[in-house]
Amino acid sequence: MQLSDGDLVVASIELDKTSFWVASAYMAHDKYVPPDGFRTLAEEAAFKNKPLVASCDANAHNLMWGSTNTNARGESLLDFILGNKLSVLNLGSEPTFITKSREEVLDITLASE
């Protein structure tokens, strides 16, 4: 099964007798969150009992991962995270997106339980 696409890169890591998936995901601000490719990845990892660590440019605000507020995208993404037994690994509220006029936490790291 091909899990990578234009906005998602997935690799399988094997160390000794341990195997897990790592992913980098871009979640475009103007598309549904999480995108279908990431949904498929999380479902496939759970089905195959494969541990997953994913670094995501989520473009979503949620107080859960240190954003200054919560928006609809952040609510939708958090519902997905909780419903798929993923954990947010972000600590604190150090901005991951900085421009001249604003700072925000938009990038998150997720891991299966």
Side-chain angles (χ1 to χ4, degrees):
M1 170 177 249
Q2 175 67 31
L3 295 171
S4 296
D5 62 29
D7 292 329
L8 177 67
V9 176
V10 182
S12 179
I13 307 292
E14 296 185 25
L15 301 168
D16 297 320
K17 296 179 182 182
T18 302
S19 174
F20 59 97
W21 289 348
V22 294
S24 176
Y26 173 68
M27 300 178 184
H29 73 279
D30 58 347
K31 294 184 180 172
Y32 185 77
V33 64
D36 291 340
F38 193 81
R39 286 178 180 277
T40 300
L41 169 65
E43 291 167 1
E44 195 67 19
F47 177 75
K48 292 184 175 180
N49 200 29
K50 188 69 69 170
L52 171 66
V53 176
S55 176
C56 306
D57 180 353
N59 286 304
H61 299 214
N62 198 298
L63 295 170
M64 174 73 174
W65 50 80
S67 298
T68 59
N69 62 2
T70 297
N71 63 11
R73 284 178 60 82
E75 288 178 6
S76 177
L77 185 54
L78 183 59
D79 286 346
F80 175 82
I81 290 166
L82 297 175
N84 286 275
K85 298 181 181 171
L86 297 171
S87 297
V88 177
L89 302 183
N90 291 41
L91 298 174
S93 57
E94 186 73 25
T96 60
F97 174 82
I98 301 171
T99 66
K100 192 177 198 179
S101 60
R102 67 185 268 238
E103 297 181 354
E104 192 58 75
V105 178
L106 300 178
D107 303 320
I108 58 176
T109 301
L110 305 174
S112 53
E113 294 182 339

